Amino acid sequence: MMAPDRYAVFGHPIAHSKSPRIHALFAGQTGQALDYGAQDVPAELFSSAVAAFFAEGGKGLNCTIPLKELAWAYADIKTERAQLAKAVNTLALQADGRILGDNTDGLGLVADLTVNHGIRLAGSRVLVLGAGGASRGIIAPLLEQAPSSITLANRTVDKAIGLAGEFAHKGAVIGCGFGDLENQQFDLVINATASSLSGSVPPLPDGLLANNAVCYDLAYGNEPTVFVRWGQQQQAAKSLDGLGMLVEQAAAAFFIWRGIQPQTQPVIALLDAERGA
Ligand code: ATR
């Protein structure tokens, strides 16, 4: 019998990654024989670890913090969305031996918002907090949904203005500081800052949320993140964390590798139930 195709997630740290579990559930659900592991790979060892993985017969990798920019640089060919994001979370061995780099994060976010939560992005006023790599990856997929505007607010204002400028040819994107949000209202507020990691929320004015506004934190945890709690306090219609996005970006990677779309909702429901348990 042939050994199952090998995949893995590389990151640093990686111990708490849910990706091996998600891909094992997808594989079981779709009847695909594959082996998906997790490897702790610090940035300085990234190139050699990726080269060794593919030399030993590996078929595809996910790359997470802090390796997405390195994966972007490593890929021989890149999809347009990866090119725009300047970050890659999925590497796939091609038939000709080249390594394709793609980014399924933004796609995962949009799928979770629109399909799983029934949120309409067309015509909505979107606020994205943060102007780092996580923000960069979601702007183009959000713009494709035709929101009326995307405002990027960041602690370092110049970074928000610079990032907005990079996407200006794709739609209405404005960069500003948190202080500029006074007297503005939004239908969707996405936290793409690293502030959750330090247990804080960016300094946001009260009254930022329009009626029926949704808050979404790209981060997730077993407990509600501080930003999810902020959204609840501000009476958001929904205040969501990034668990659904995680499963959706994984499903898109699975499709890139295996050509089969797994069902995400049962996997999200299972992981959600497990963290509540
Ligand atoms: P990532 O790739 O995860 O986006 P990054 O490129 O380091 O990581 O960007 C982190 C983002 O979180 C930045 O927008 C950063 O703001 P600055 O550009 O001003 O540094 C933001 N950030 C980090 N800690 C924050 C905090 N405590 N409050 C507000 N913003 C924070």
Side-chain angles (χ1 to χ4, degrees):
M1 204 174 89
M2 280 202 348
D5 287 345
R6 280 181 53 227
Y7 300 86
V9 58
F10 284 5
H12 183 70
I14 202 66
H16 298 289
S17 172
K18 293 188 195 288
S19 292
R21 174 125 168 82
I22 294 169
H23 283 282
L25 289 166
F26 287 164
Q29 187 197 94
T30 58
Q32 295 279 298
L34 60 85
D35 175 51
Y36 187 109
Q39 200 172 316
D40 194 312
V41 178
E44 59 276 18
L45 297 179
F46 179 75
S47 295
S48 55
V50 176
F53 179 83
F54 284 113
E56 288 160 14
K59 300 287 188 209
L61 284 174
N62 283 135
C63 299
T64 186
I65 293 169
L67 307 174
K68 291 182 190 182
E69 285 80 10
L70 291 171
W72 181 84
Y74 189 97
D76 299 315
I77 37 173
K78 290 178 263 276
T79 61
E80 193 201 347
R81 61 189 181 215
Q83 200 61 274
L84 282 166
K86 292 196 180 150
V88 154
N89 74 339
T90 305
L91 293 171
L93 179 67
Q94 304 296 283
D96 62 6
R98 290 189 298 173
I99 305 295
L100 172 76
D102 202 346
N103 189 320
T104 63
D105 285 332
L107 192 80
L109 170 67
V110 168
D112 194 38
L113 285 168
T114 60
V115 181
N116 298 335
H117 294 287
I119 295 160
R120 191 180 143 82
L121 297 176
S124 68
R125 297 158 292 177
V126 179
L127 171 63
V128 175
L129 307 171
S135 305
R136 179 185 289 281
I138 61 172
I139 298 168
L142 285 171
L143 280 173
E144 280 167 19
Q145 300 296 308
S148 71
S149 64
I150 297 181
T151 302
L152 298 178
N154 197 43
R155 182 172 62 182
T156 310
V157 182
D158 286 354
K159 267 172 73 178
I161 292 171
L163 189 58
E166 283 185 51
F167 289 88
H169 65 290
K170 293 221 147 228
V173 192
I174 306 138
C176 67
F178 296 127
D180 301 313
L181 299 173
E182 210 71 55
N183 301 320
Q184 294 197 59
Q185 285 207 313
F186 298 92
D187 305 300
L188 172 64
V189 182
I190 297 170
N191 180 31
T193 71
S195 67
S196 289
L197 302 176
S198 60
S200 63
V201 176
L204 301 171
D206 287 332
L208 196 61
L209 303 186
N211 274 343
N212 285 319
V214 173
C215 290
Y216 196 103
D217 197 342
L218 300 192
Y220 62 87
N222 285 336
E223 305 293 328
T225 66
V226 277
F227 180 74
V228 166
R229 289 207 303 271
W230 178 86
Q232 291 164 346
Q233 283 156 10
Q234 297 287 321
Q235 318 285 321
K238 290 183 181 184
S239 195
L240 307 165
D241 78 3
L243 180 70
M245 171 179 173
L246 177 78
V247 174
E248 292 296 342
Q249 65 76 31
F254 192 92
F255 182 79
I256 290 165
W257 295 327
R258 310 298 299 183
I260 296 175
Q261 195 74 56
Q263 282 193 335
T264 50
Q265 266 126 347
V267 174
I268 296 170
L270 183 65
L271 295 183
D272 198 27
E274 282 176 358
R275 65 180 173 172

